[in-house]
Amino acid sequence: MRLDSKYFDRIRTRRKREQEAEQAPPTCQWDGCDKKGSHRAPVGRNAEGQFFLFCFEHVKEYNKGYNYFSGLSDGEIARYQKEAITGHRPTWTVGVNKSAKDSPLHSEVRSGAYTRVRDPFGFVKEGGKSSGPRFPQARKLKSLESKAFDTMGLNANATSAEIKSRYKELVKKHHPDANGGDRGSEERFRAVIQAYQLLKQNGFC
């Protein structure tokens, strides 16, 4: 027996003909038009997901004059376009999360090379243990910085106190008043001052 038999139509709650009549397309929503409205057209900016139903001729007419940004100023349009790049989701500036700078790389954690415990509240330090790196990192000097250390007669690992102490010592030694106005000592004096100022500007002292 077929499922579309007339005998099944008698016991169905809704006849097949009634269902077909309900699924008929609506008429065009354009004023004075009686054609079938089988083409969708967006309602507007604040009604996303809602559509008008027009016939083919009237949907073309509607789309010619449709403007999504109608009623907005140039600044509002520019802001909308800028936010559309990220899908209108909030964004943050790169580097805002300062704790990420001290965090290990994901590869270091997985390989087990990174064993330092994160201690943002200083509990481990209070117990006498340090959470810093095991070996101090050597400074990578630029050419001018290296020349300044040579002028001061110091190595790259010199502390701030050692640099200041060495500077005072060289200034007293090569000051023109201490050497009777010797020209060679005066040039050395200027070189020491320039070297110290360079190291100070770069955060070495």
Side-chain angles (χ1 to χ4, degrees):
M1 184 179 290
R2 296 182 305 171
L3 295 178
D4 58 349
S5 171
K6 61 181 179 179
Y7 299 107
F8 282 104
D9 286 340
R10 293 177 183 175
I11 60 175
R12 286 193 178 104
T13 56
R14 286 190 178 184
R15 299 287 179 92
K16 188 175 182 181
R17 293 175 184 174
E18 294 176 357
Q19 292 177 353
E20 290 177 354
E22 291 176 359
Q23 294 175 358
T27 56
C28 178
Q29 291 181 287
W30 196 272
D31 292 340
C33 182
D34 296 331
K35 295 180 181 179
K36 293 180 180 179
S38 55
H39 299 279
R40 299 194 309 174
V43 174
R45 186 178 65 256
N46 296 323
E48 281 80 2
Q50 300 179 22
F51 300 92
F52 292 120
L53 292 174
F54 296 122
C55 63
F56 181 70
E57 294 297 328
H58 288 138
V59 78
K60 288 196 301 182
E61 190 70 21
Y62 179 83
N63 287 338
K64 285 180 182 178
Y66 179 77
N67 183 7
Y68 184 80
F69 297 107
S70 62
L72 294 180
S73 64
D74 293 341
E76 291 173 331
I77 294 173
R79 179 183 176 185
Y80 181 91
Q81 291 173 338
K82 182 178 180 182
E83 292 176 352
I85 297 174
T86 58
H88 301 282
R89 293 187 296 269
T91 58
W92 293 268
T93 306
V94 176
V96 169
N97 188 2
K98 295 182 180 180
S99 62
K101 187 185 296 183
D102 301 326
S103 299
L105 297 174
H106 184 65
S107 58
E108 293 178 350
V109 174
R110 294 193 63 181
S111 64
Y114 188 88
T115 57
R116 182 168 68 86
V117 178
R118 292 187 64 190
D119 186 26
F121 299 105
F123 295 127
V124 176
K125 289 182 180 179
E126 290 178 2
K129 297 180 180 179
S130 175
S131 59
R134 187 174 178 183
F135 299 103
Q137 295 181 352
R139 294 175 180 171
K140 294 182 179 179
L141 300 178
K142 298 178 183 178
S143 59
L144 290 176
E145 295 171 350
S146 178
K147 185 178 179 181
F149 274 108
D150 291 340
T151 303
M152 301 282 289
L154 297 169
N155 56 21
N157 295 324
T159 63
S160 175
E162 290 174 347
I163 295 173
K164 292 178 181 179
S165 176
R166 181 63 174 168
Y167 171 70
K168 291 178 181 178
E169 178 185 345
L170 292 175
V171 165
K172 290 180 180 179
K173 181 179 180 182
H174 297 288
H175 196 277
D177 294 341
N179 293 279
D182 185 13
R183 195 69 179 173
S185 183
E186 184 179 351
E187 292 178 0
R188 173 69 175 161
F189 176 73
R190 290 178 181 175
V192 169
I193 293 176
Q194 291 177 356
Y196 177 76
Q197 288 177 351
L198 188 143
L199 294 177
K200 188 175 182 180
Q201 289 175 358
N202 293 338
F204 288 92
C205 59

